[in-house]
Amino acid sequence: MTNSGAPPPGATIVQYAAQSADGTQQFFVPGSQVVVQAATGDMPTYQIRAPTTGLPQGVVMAASPGSLHSPQQLAEEATRKRELRLMKNREAAKECRRRKKEYVKCLESRVAVLEVQNKKLIEELETLKDICSPKTN
DNA sequence: TTTACATCACGTCAGCAGGG
DNA sequence: CCCTGCTGACGTGATGTAAA
């Protein structure tokens, strides 16, 4: 995930590190929303709203590697990467469980259908046996 | 009402598979 | 080979339920 330019207004921030005009790095809380965006010169500016929902909406921005120097910045970057990975895995696990539940539900309904079908076939077999078996009296 | 147990949903980690 | 997504396994907290 790399910085691919300006996030559109309305986008929800997953992870975003920006370098402001004075050169300082800014990190925004995941879940924040871009509400205003303006391009002044070659540096776009944004207004970030406080997080509302906790859920990511797909916009991922990262600090450019060249802008990280101090051990503290490197540590922050490592932490940021870990949090991003955990967040993605969290969502992936939820989705995985949802799919699995759906799959199990599907299997259960198929079992129900096959059980009914099997019962009917057994009944039909018994009927045919009765018809085809020689009369004893 | 309290307690013990079962079930569920979740977060995290580890390992694997596929893509670039 | 590295990165990323998927998924099984494990631990944990919340909630429901039956028995004392």
Side-chain angles (χ1 to χ4, degrees), chain A residues 105-133:
Chain A
K105 234 171 144 183
C106 192
L107 282 183
E108 283 170 348
S109 56
R110 179 152 173 75
V111 165
V113 166
L114 289 174
E115 276 175 350
V116 168
Q117 197 177 337
N118 192 42
K119 198 180 167 195
K120 279 185 184 170
L121 287 170
I122 288 172
E123 284 170 2
E124 193 181 334
L125 177 63
E126 292 304 320
T127 305
L128 289 172
K129 272 186 186 171
D130 282 349
I131 292 171
C132 296
S133 65

Side-chain angles (χ1 to χ4, degrees), chain A residues 2 18 20 24 26 30 47 50 61 64 72 84 95 98 103 112:
Chain A
T2 55
S20 49
T24 58
Q26 298 184 340
Q47 187 177 338
M61 312 288 284
S64 58
Q72 190 194 349
L84 180 59
E95 183 60 19
R98 189 195 63 76
Y103 174 70

Side-chain angles (χ1 to χ4, degrees), chain A residues 57-109:
Chain A
Q57 293 294 319
V59 176
V60 176
M61 312 288 284
S64 58
S67 63
L68 299 172
H69 297 300
S70 71
Q72 190 194 349
Q73 281 176 321
L74 289 172
E76 280 173 358
E77 175 70 359
T79 302
R80 191 188 66 79
K81 279 184 178 173
R82 173 181 157 77
E83 282 171 0
L84 180 59
R85 181 168 49 79
L86 288 179
M87 186 179 62
K88 282 185 176 180
N89 188 246
R90 202 152 47 227
E91 295 304 312
K94 275 184 195 167
E95 183 60 19
C96 181
R97 287 181 186 119
R98 189 195 63 76
R99 277 196 300 265
K100 188 174 179 177
K101 256 181 110 176
E102 201 175 332
Y103 174 70
V104 168
K105 234 171 144 183
C106 192
L107 282 183
E108 283 170 348
S109 56

Side-chain angles (χ1 to χ4, degrees), chain A residues 27-55:
Chain A
F27 290 84
F28 298 106
V29 180
S32 303
Q33 271 199 316
V34 180
V35 290
V36 173
Q37 170 183 308
T40 53
D42 52 353
M43 284 290 287
T45 60
Y46 317 100
Q47 187 177 338
I48 307 297
R49 204 174 68 192
T52 50
T53 77
L55 289 179

